[in-house]
Amino acid sequence: MKQLGQMKLSTKPASFYRWASRIPSTTLKSHLDFLLNEFDPLFAIQRLAAEVVDIIDEVEDVKTFVLRPSVYWKGFVPGQYVGIEIDINGVRVRRNYSISSSLSLFEQQGLISITVKRVEDGLVSNHLADALEIGSMLHLSEAKGEFILDPTSTEDQPKPLFIAAGSGITPIMAMILGLAEFDALDNVVLIYVVRRKEDLIFNQRLSALADANPGFTYLPHFSSSKRDRLDQNNISRYCPDILERTLYTCGPEGFMAIVKEAASSLGLGDHAIKSESFGLPKAKDMAERLSSTREATNGNTNNAPVQVTLAKAQKVLQSTGTHTLLELAEQAGLNPKYGCRSGICHECKCVKSSGRVMNAITGEIVPEEQTHIQACTSIPIDNVSIESW
């Protein structure tokens, strides 16, 4: 399997882009942006771009895309994510992906990587897996996110306990690589939960890090049934000194809820638990949650479609409870503003004039009198009208 050091470079040498990155953008007028973009998209100022310079098959349905960001891209702290914009069937869509590479890869070669897993109904993830080639160009945001571990400031800080599930390993991988580069992997524990050994993303690299750093404990946990799920007893056994650590957890929402509850039961305070949500529940799970919510509120378990009226667009959509308002709007051809798509950044807020919605992550009903709602986490319970779209 190829590692990050074995890459096909683009036509221009890396040193060229590193030289260009030292030219302040303020020395160039914004009206030249079009010409710069025509010369090389990586010189554009107003819309940052990235070139795919390598594609690595990690495990089944998981690929790492090595990207050369614009010369004006500012860099990242391990754990942060970037927004990727791409046109699919004539519609521009955006998704966030955690950076999975080391700080030195960017500092020395001007490169970063994102690691993407194919998922059911994953419009962008599946498109990236199927359509991206070496040389493809993407629009790329600056790095964002507060789920971070700065390896330059770990002295006198509690040692980390990482608990990841599936592709939730990606931001944690960047954190671990950062610690390794600063010789700070002593007394670090990683519990990585997957269904089977073949699903362990970065397994060879993590095993090599554990071999080279005796203080780094790498613990794969295989959970193919409810009986094998990671629980409080497992966590206590894997990491007896959990109360002396800071917990970083990333994965599906339900998984993280279990981890947080177990850690709290063991006595770890909320201040010592940091997490990153990795997307919404699956469509089937959202439909089941909607059915339970309807039964609890009006005794009706019928998941019959409801209507979503978009006032400005003069469109009426059908909702079956498997997609959020943001997804429904995108499917209808709209391009509403959004950011994280997981209820964190609030950039997707829209104005609801009537109807009730459910929070797809928590299952809670948003108060009917609340008019400003987050479209990325809202599922219509009954007929809903959106005034701002």
Side-chain angles (χ1 to χ4, degrees):
M1 182 179 297
K2 283 192 296 183
Q3 300 297 318
L4 285 179
Q6 302 172 299
M7 291 177 290
K8 300 177 182 177
L9 298 178
S10 61
T11 54
K12 298 182 182 67
S15 58
F16 175 77
Y17 291 102
R18 301 308 295 153
W19 166 80
S21 69
R22 291 191 287 271
I23 303 175
S25 60
T26 53
T27 65
L28 300 171
K29 301 296 184 182
S30 61
H31 65 266
L32 292 177
D33 200 55
F34 174 78
L35 294 177
L36 291 169
N37 185 70
E38 290 297 305
F39 169 68
D40 188 324
L42 299 188
F43 277 87
I45 301 169
Q46 294 181 348
R47 286 186 63 79
L48 300 178
E51 176 190 7
V52 180
V53 300
D54 200 18
I55 301 174
I56 301 168
D57 291 317
E58 299 287 357
V59 296
E60 183 180 2
D61 290 337
V62 177
K63 292 183 178 182
T64 289
F65 298 95
V66 184
L67 309 176
R68 186 189 307 285
S70 162
V71 296
Y72 299 114
W73 196 75
K74 296 177 182 177
F76 71 102
V77 179
Q80 288 189 308
Y81 62 85
V82 289
I84 298 292
E85 284 188 13
I86 194 166
D87 293 330
I88 302 178
N89 298 325
V91 178
R92 177 153 294 175
V93 292
R94 183 177 185 270
R95 296 292 187 273
N96 296 326
Y97 295 99
S98 296
I99 298 169
S100 58
S101 51
S102 65
L103 290 169
S104 63
L105 185 69
F106 178 68
E107 292 168 354
Q108 297 173 14
Q109 300 185 50
L111 303 174
I112 63 171
S113 71
I114 58 172
T115 300
V116 180
K117 177 180 175 60
R118 292 182 63 94
V119 294
E120 183 182 356
D121 298 324
L123 175 65
V124 179
S125 297
N126 296 347
H127 181 84
L128 295 180
D130 295 336
L132 278 196
E133 300 175 345
I134 293 175
S136 296
M137 301 297 296
L138 304 166
H139 289 295
L140 181 78
S141 76
E142 294 287 3
K144 301 177 182 179
E146 302 301 321
F147 181 68
I148 58 174
L149 194 163
D150 185 349
T152 65
S153 60
T154 57
E155 190 174 349
D156 298 326
Q157 297 294 320
K159 291 297 182 180
L161 163 63
F162 300 111
I163 302 182
S167 55
I169 190 65
T170 51
I172 287 175
M173 186 65 186
M175 294 178 180
I176 290 172
L177 291 172
L179 292 173
E181 290 177 340
F182 283 84
D183 296 322
L185 269 184
D186 184 50
N187 199 14
V188 173
V189 177
L190 167 63
I191 304 171
Y192 184 15
V193 181
V194 293
R195 290 184 177 275
R196 39 179 203 154
K197 184 177 181 180
E198 292 77 14
D199 298 327
L200 289 167
I201 307 171
F202 309 130
N203 184 46
Q204 291 183 359
R205 299 180 71 194
L206 288 168
S207 297
L209 284 170
D211 290 341
N213 298 271
F216 174 45
T217 304
Y218 171 39
L219 299 166
H221 179 93
F222 304 112
S223 177
S224 57
S225 66
K226 291 184 179 180
R227 180 183 57 192
D228 302 322
R229 284 181 177 175
L230 186 72
D231 58 19
Q232 179 178 331
N233 293 331
N234 297 138
I235 295 173
S236 179
R237 177 166 53 88
Y238 286 143
C239 187
D241 62 348
I242 184 174
L243 298 185
E244 301 171 15
R245 297 180 177 272
T246 297
L247 168 63
Y248 296 82
T249 182
C250 186
E253 196 69 33
F255 167 81
M256 291 195 302
I258 293 172
V259 170
K260 292 176 184 178
E261 182 178 354
S264 297
S265 297
L266 290 169
L268 194 64
D270 291 343
H271 68 281
I273 301 175
K274 304 179 185 299
S275 63
E276 177 87 307
S277 175
F278 242 56
L280 298 171
K282 293 181 179 179
K284 182 184 70 172
D285 296 333
M286 288 197 292
E288 290 177 353
R289 180 168 283 178
L290 177 63
S291 178
S292 299
T293 300
R294 282 179 170 173
E295 182 178 16
T297 56
N298 54 25
N300 179 16
T301 60
N302 180 20
N303 271 1
V306 297
Q307 290 186 344
V308 178
T309 301
L310 308 182
K312 287 187 176 181
Q314 296 184 336
K315 292 187 176 184
V316 178
L317 316 178
Q318 298 293 313
S319 171
T320 60
T322 57
H323 293 91
T324 65
L325 284 173
L326 177 60
E327 292 169 331
L328 290 171
E330 290 174 335
Q331 291 171 6
L334 275 68
N335 189 25
K337 184 180 179 181
Y338 63 87
C340 68
R341 300 184 77 93
S342 57
I344 298 173
C345 72
H346 297 269
E347 288 190 27
C348 67
K349 277 191 174 180
C350 60
V351 180
K352 174 178 66 68
S353 55
S354 64
R356 298 180 303 162
V357 297
M358 178 191 76
N359 186 308
I361 296 175
T362 65
E364 297 175 350
I365 299 174
V366 177
E368 190 168 1
E369 62 273 16
Q370 180 177 326
T371 57
H372 289 74
I373 60 174
Q374 289 179 269
C376 73
T377 59
S378 295
I379 296 179
I381 295 177
D382 41 37
N383 293 342
V384 169
S385 180
I386 304 300
E387 179 182 325
S388 55
W389 290 348

